[in-house]
Amino acid sequence: MQNTGQATSTLSTDSRSIRRRLDLQASALMVLFCIVLGAQQVAIKMVAADISPLAQVALRSSLAAVLVAALAWWQGIRLRDMRAQLGPGILVGLGFAAEFLFVAWGLNHTLASHMSVFLYTAPVFAAVGLHLWVPGEQLTRRQWIGIALAFGGMVLAMAPDTDIDNAGDILWGDLLGLLAGLAWAATTLVIRRSSLSEAPPVQSLCYQLTVAGLLLLPATVLLGDVGRIQFTGAAIASLTFQTLVISFAALLLWFALLRRYFASQLGVFSFLSPIFGVLFGALLLGEPLTINFLSGGSLLLIGLVVVTR
């Protein structure tokens, strides 16, 4: 175990080299990451009648926190290591908890596809913040144009239908999705501007999941959502997917990439997630595909190419 800890320390030291631009491997991994996260809102919405969105987020965060803590121990990370970065760790945990509180709350009002789009405004906010406050993350004029194209395409892809029902309720849910995106962007900035930038990915994720579980589980109990939980087959399958794939494997992959590549490029690349989110919403929840989505999605992809080529 001591050798494992030394190896982890060595890897952490070696990772302090200058971050790289996206290569083919990183791009492929980001596509996989975006597919998984695009399915996230749909997975929550599909079983909302059995388990409330807030209860799902609280349960998956708590279960994944146990898995990540075990992995951190196996890698040689001890309590003294966690205490050494407790300040920024609590901050990223609060940001993570706020992000998914807004997601869970918003999904009670809006479509899963809408939540996917507004949640992934985070890269825009993060890219601007990184440009302003993190040396080496400055965007070029071409990349700014790419961000504008990608953001414009995202907005066009989800332009509202004038015949949509419950427009006011959906607008409120969309606003909560936007706040979730802001919380995600703030978390990214805290990581990059603190010692967590060079910490093992499992350590950052442990802070996030633990704080989220500690805050959201009591909230679920106070709101009475625990008493309404029905562990149907679909609910168990969804929770398993959310815990093992989204909250554990996918987020570990995100932090690993964040340590090796420019966060601004990684963030903008994740504009693909809303596209997958809308597609999954259409296929699994029957949410409509429109000409706005098809044209906006094409413009979004052009913006991604401009930023990451």
Side-chain angles (χ1 to χ4, degrees):
M1 187 63 68
Q2 182 63 31
N3 290 337
T4 302
Q6 291 174 349
T8 301
S9 176
T10 301
L11 288 173
S12 178
T13 301
D14 293 342
S15 70
R16 296 170 190 268
S17 58
I18 298 176
R19 285 176 173 79
R20 306 189 294 272
R21 295 187 178 276
L22 290 184
D23 52 28
L24 182 60
Q25 180 184 16
S27 298
L29 289 173
M30 277 303 298
V31 170
L32 178 61
F33 175 77
C34 293
I35 290 173
V36 170
L37 263 65
Q40 176 177 216
Q41 279 64 245
V42 175
I44 295 174
K45 192 82 170 180
M46 285 183 68
V47 296
D50 298 324
I51 306 178
S52 73
L54 181 60
Q56 291 182 57
V57 172
L59 287 172
R60 83 181 198 189
S61 296
S62 301
L63 293 171
V66 175
L67 296 176
V68 172
L71 179 60
W73 181 267
W74 180 78
Q75 290 185 350
I77 299 173
R78 298 293 181 261
L79 286 177
R80 62 179 179 275
D81 302 313
M82 301 297 293
R83 287 196 298 266
Q85 296 171 323
L86 187 60
I90 290 176
L91 286 178
V92 298
L94 291 173
F96 187 80
E99 174 190 343
F100 284 100
L101 175 62
F102 289 132
V103 167
W105 190 4
L107 283 173
N108 290 321
H109 302 277
T110 192
L111 304 176
S113 54
H114 281 227
M115 180 58 68
S116 294
V117 169
F118 286 100
L119 174 61
Y120 291 101
T121 55
V124 175
F125 301 124
V128 174
L130 291 164
H131 175 83
L132 294 174
W133 295 308
V134 178
E137 291 278 8
Q138 280 64 47
L139 298 170
T140 65
R141 180 181 299 179
R142 174 180 57 80
Q143 289 174 311
W144 279 113
I145 293 173
I147 286 179
L149 289 173
F151 186 74
M154 187 177 66
V155 173
L156 178 59
M158 290 306 300
D161 188 336
T162 55
D163 297 327
I164 196 169
D165 295 329
N166 303 320
D169 197 39
I170 289 175
L171 181 61
W172 172 239
D174 292 345
L175 176 60
L176 292 170
L178 186 63
L179 291 176
L182 280 168
W184 183 4
T187 301
T188 300
L189 289 174
V190 170
I191 290 173
R192 289 306 314 276
R193 284 185 57 84
S194 70
S195 56
L196 287 177
S197 176
E198 301 300 341
V202 67
Q203 187 170 346
S204 298
L205 186 54
C206 192
Y207 287 124
Q208 289 187 310
L209 292 170
T210 301
V211 173
L214 289 175
L215 292 178
L216 297 182
L217 268 181
T220 303
V221 174
L222 289 175
L223 293 174
D225 288 352
V226 172
R228 296 193 293 268
I229 292 177
Q230 301 179 49
F231 285 109
T232 62
I236 293 173
S238 178
L239 275 177
T240 301
F241 170 74
Q242 292 181 56
T243 300
L244 297 180
V245 179
I246 296 177
S247 295
F248 184 67
L251 291 181
L252 280 176
L253 172 62
W254 167 252
F255 282 118
L257 291 172
L258 197 62
R259 293 178 67 206
R260 292 171 174 82
Y261 299 93
F262 285 118
S264 53
Q265 293 187 2
L266 290 171
V268 175
F269 203 91
S270 67
F271 271 123
L272 283 172
S273 291
I275 298 298
F276 291 120
V278 174
L279 287 174
F280 290 139
L283 292 173
L284 301 176
L285 299 177
E287 297 178 353
L289 286 175
T290 65
I291 188 63
N292 290 335
F293 168 73
L294 296 175
S295 55
S298 299
L299 183 60
L300 189 154
L301 291 174
I302 293 172
L304 287 174
V305 171
V306 171
V307 171
T308 61
R309 68 181 175 86

